[in-house]
């Protein structure tokens, strides 16, 4: 899943794809690099982010989704929003998946919209809301708490008529400390017991920059662009523990990392019949 932030203030690429033309081009590039899903968002959820109105959010993502869906009919376009009004227009414009980081809690109309539209959805765990979520988050056992939350949200979605089309996400970085994020990754396999595909979004997140800085004895966390090696390591670890979808900013390097992981673990790699070169 390639991340396409049509925002001025996203934590790692804010402003780069706010122009619709630049966003459409970047989306096409990520599809060319091997993304199966494009997750288009018009509102940042970084810690401390201010909410955006539905009209503004729609003005950002609508034209981008419409163009990408028309030009790449085989691609799955996802709308990253907590608002039913935005999701509804995005689905009309060609999106097929609703990625709701509030897991149907922010907008009472969202579950019914997803149920009636036939769209897929991704429900994510978040402690609190983006403005305040990183203020001293605490859990009993982080995996048990996240799992119980996702189970409850899945039951709710099923009751609302969404049934089989639900992906679940532990919400790395959403109301979690560095230790919580690492524990979630380490024990990700326990979430498979929920019986739904698991989505993981570690890409460029601040815990990766913090960990790398600590290991180098640096005061400041590494910036988002320098977090690629850690992002790739976390993608491989999540894949190895059973994640089905990896939400990433750097599609081509992630694809290469996962190709190696899949070939090593024996899933999904066969030698191309035309390969003649020796490898070492
Ligand atoms: N992370 C972000 C946004 N949406 N959705 C899911 N399902 N899982 C995630 O981990 C996730 C998400 C935050 O990353 P990004 O979109 O790059 O930043 P911002 O929210 O600042 O736009």
């Amino acid at each position: 899943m390639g991340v396409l932030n049509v925002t001025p203030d996203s934590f790692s690429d804010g402003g780069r794809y706010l122009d619709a033309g630049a966003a459409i081009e970047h989306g096409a590039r990520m599809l060319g690099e091997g993304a199966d899903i494009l997750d288009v968002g018009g509102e940042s959820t970084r810690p401390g982010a201010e909410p955006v109105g539905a009209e503004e959010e729609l003005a950002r993502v609508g034209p981008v989704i419409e163009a990408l869906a028309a030009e790449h009919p085989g691609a799955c376009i996802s709308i990253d929003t907590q608002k039913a009004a935005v999701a509804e227009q995005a689905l009309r414009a060609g999106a097929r998946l609703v990625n709701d980081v509030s897991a149907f809690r922010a907008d009472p109309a969202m579950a019914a919209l997803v149920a009636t539209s036939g769209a897929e959805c991704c429900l994510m765990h978040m402690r609190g809301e983006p403005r305040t979520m990183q203020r001293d988050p605490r859990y009993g056992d982080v995996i048990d708490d996240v799992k119980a939350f996702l189970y409850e949200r899945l039951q709710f979605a099923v009751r609302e008529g969404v049934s089989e089309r639900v992906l679940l996400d532990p919400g790395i970085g959403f109301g979690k400390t560095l230790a919580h994020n690492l524990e979630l990754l380490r024990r990700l396999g326990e979430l498979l017991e929920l019986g739904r595909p698991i989505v993981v979004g570690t890409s460029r997140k601040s815990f990766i920059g913090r960990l790398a800085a600590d290991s180098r004895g640096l005061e400041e966390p590494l910036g988002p662009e320098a977090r690629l090696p850690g992002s790739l390591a976390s993608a491989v670890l999540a894949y190895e523990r059973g994640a089905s979808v990896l939400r990433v900013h750097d599609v081509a390097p992630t694809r290469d990392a996962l190709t190696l992981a899949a070939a090593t673990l024996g899933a999904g790699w066969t030698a191309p019949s035309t390969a003649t070169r020796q490898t070492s």
Side-chain angles (χ1 to χ4, degrees), residues 111-149:
L113 170 73
V114 172
T116 53
S117 68
E120 287 186 80
C121 66
C122 176
L123 305 180
M124 195 195 79
H125 176 272
M126 170 165 51
R127 170 66 54 91
E129 37 114 17
R131 244 173 348 99
T132 54
M133 66 189 178
Q134 287 307 103
R135 288 185 200 154
D136 193 26
R138 285 168 199 239
Y139 297 88
D141 175 289
V142 68
I143 274 278
D144 289 351
D145 290 6
V146 166
K147 192 171 164 191
F149 171 90

Side-chain angles (χ1 to χ4, degrees), residues 154-203:
L154 178 60
Q155 297 309 305
F156 173 78
V158 169
R159 279 201 306 280
E160 292 291 309
V162 177
S163 72
E164 289 303 300
R165 308 182 310 273
V166 184
L167 305 156
L168 300 173
D169 185 330
I172 299 289
F174 286 84
K176 279 117 188 160
T177 62
L178 169 60
H180 293 142
N181 291 323
L182 296 177
E183 179 93 6
L184 282 166
L185 260 183
R186 183 165 47 242
R187 293 170 56 198
L188 193 73
E190 293 176 40
L191 298 182
L192 300 179
E193 290 157 20
L194 292 165
R196 304 304 313 149
I198 301 296
V199 179
V200 173
T202 53
S203 180

